[in-house]
Amino acid sequence: MAVSALGEPCVLLKLGEVVLKGNNREVFEQRLQANIKAALKEFGFKVDVRQRHGVIALFLPEGTSAETADAVAERVAYVPGLVWIHRAWRVAKDPDAVLKAAIELLADREDVKRGVSFAVRSRRRDKRFPLTSMQLDRTVGGELNDIYGLPVDLKNPELVVSIEVDRDEVFVHTDGLPGQGGLPVGTSGRGLVLMSGGIDSPVAAYRMMRRGLRVDFLHFSGIPFTTSESIYKAYALVRALDKFQGRSRLWVVPFGKAQQSIKASGQDRLAVIAQRRLMLKTAEEVAHRLRAGALVTGDSLGQVSSQTLQNITAQDDAVDLPILRPLIGLDKTEIMAEARRIGTLAISELPDEDCCTLLAPRRAETAAKIADLKQIEKRLDAEELAVQLADSLQEYKLEG
C-alpha cells in the first residue's frame, strides 16, 4: 500500500470547556486560536488554523513530514483550552480514500502485530456524505478485520480508529495526546504570582494559567545577604512554565535589607508573618503597575506555620487585591505529583539560598494577631517601604 494513501498530515484539536460558553464563546475561541498560533511560531512556518464545531484543525504547509506534524501536536498539547490532540491524516471525501487510509494507518503498528482488539468510530459532521456513521464503521471495520485479523471490541477496544467526516475533507486518526483542559490563557484577566523557588508556587501558577489567567511572576531575593542562586532557580521555573502561556515575565525584588529591618523589630515569633504581609503589600504595588487584578500564592491550608487559617486571615488583611490560592485544599503529595507532571519538580528540588532562611525563628507564631502585626508595620512604615521595594523592581527577560 502506498504511503500516499494516508493523505496529508494534519493535527486535530478537541475543545473542552470552551464549547460550553454561550454568547461569548467566539471570544474564547479567538483567544485560543491566537494562543495556538503564538505557540507554533517556533516552527518557522505558517499553520492554517481552521475553526469547526468543537474542533480546531491545523493544516500544515504542503510537504510537511509526519515527524514535524508529530512535533506540532506535542507542542500544542501544552496550550490550555484543549482536551485532546490527534495527529490525523486528511483524505478526500470518498469512501474508498477513507478505507485505504485506515488500512495504511495500521500497517506497521506493533500493537496490530500483537493482535490488539479494535473498534472503528465515525462521526459525520457533514450529513451529505454517502455513508452514515454506522455504515462507515461497518465497512472500514470489516475490511480491517479481514486484512489484519484483529478481534472487534466495541465496548473497551485497545485500539480505536477514528473517522471524522468534515465539510471539505475526512480526518482519519488513532491515538491522541491528552491536552491541558481548562480555559485559554488570557480569557480570565491578569494575575501576579509570588514565585518562590519551592514546589508549590509553580504549581499554583500553572493551575491559574489553566483557568485562563495570564500571569507575571514576582520573586523576592535575599540580595544583598544571599547569592543570586534563588533568582536563577526562579528563572528556570518560569522558563519551564512558559510553554503553557508564552511571553512570561519574571520580576525580582531585592528583599534582604527589608528582612533585616523586620528581624531588628524584636518580634521574633511574628517575623515570618510580618515578612509575608510586606511581600504582599509590595506585590500589590507591583500588580497595580502591571495592571494585574489578583495575587497568586502557593499556600496550602495547614502545610506550614504561616498557612494556618489565622495566619492566612492575617495575610489577607494586608492588601485589598484578592489573593488566589489554587492549592489551598491539596496535600504535599498531590502538589508534588502535579509538579512532576508539568515539569517543575526537579527544578524546585535543586538547592538554593532562599530569602526565607534569613528569618528562621525557633518558634513561629501560628495564630498571629492583626493588631500586633500592624504595630510592627507602623514602626517600619510598611506602606512606604513597599513602594520603595516596588521601585527597586528588576525584570529578567526569558531568552529565545
Side-chain angles (χ1 to χ4, degrees), residues 122-190:
S122 305
R123 181 182 179 185
R124 286 194 316 161
R125 284 190 282 271
D126 184 355
K127 304 305 181 184
R128 297 171 300 175
F129 194 71
L131 298 181
T132 66
S133 296
M134 187 174 293
Q135 288 172 334
L136 200 51
D137 288 347
R138 289 174 176 172
T139 299
V140 175
E143 193 70 21
L144 293 177
N145 179 258
D146 290 342
I147 293 173
Y148 296 111
L150 300 178
V152 176
D153 185 345
L154 299 181
K155 289 187 176 180
N156 297 295
E158 297 171 276
L159 172 64
V160 175
V161 177
S162 297
I163 300 169
E164 303 188 33
V165 181
D166 217 289
R167 184 182 60 201
D168 301 316
E169 62 274 300
V170 178
F171 301 105
V172 183
H173 60 84
T174 53
D175 311 312
L177 297 171
Q180 303 303 318
L183 298 173
V185 170
T187 55
S188 299
R190 181 180 291 274

Side-chain angles (χ1 to χ4, degrees), residues 22-41:
N23 294 333
N24 61 347
R25 173 174 166 176
E26 185 177 349
V27 174
F28 285 82
E29 291 177 340
Q30 288 175 350
R31 172 60 64 180
L32 179 55
Q33 288 185 38
N35 292 349
I36 291 166
K37 290 176 182 177
L40 296 179
K41 281 185 177 179

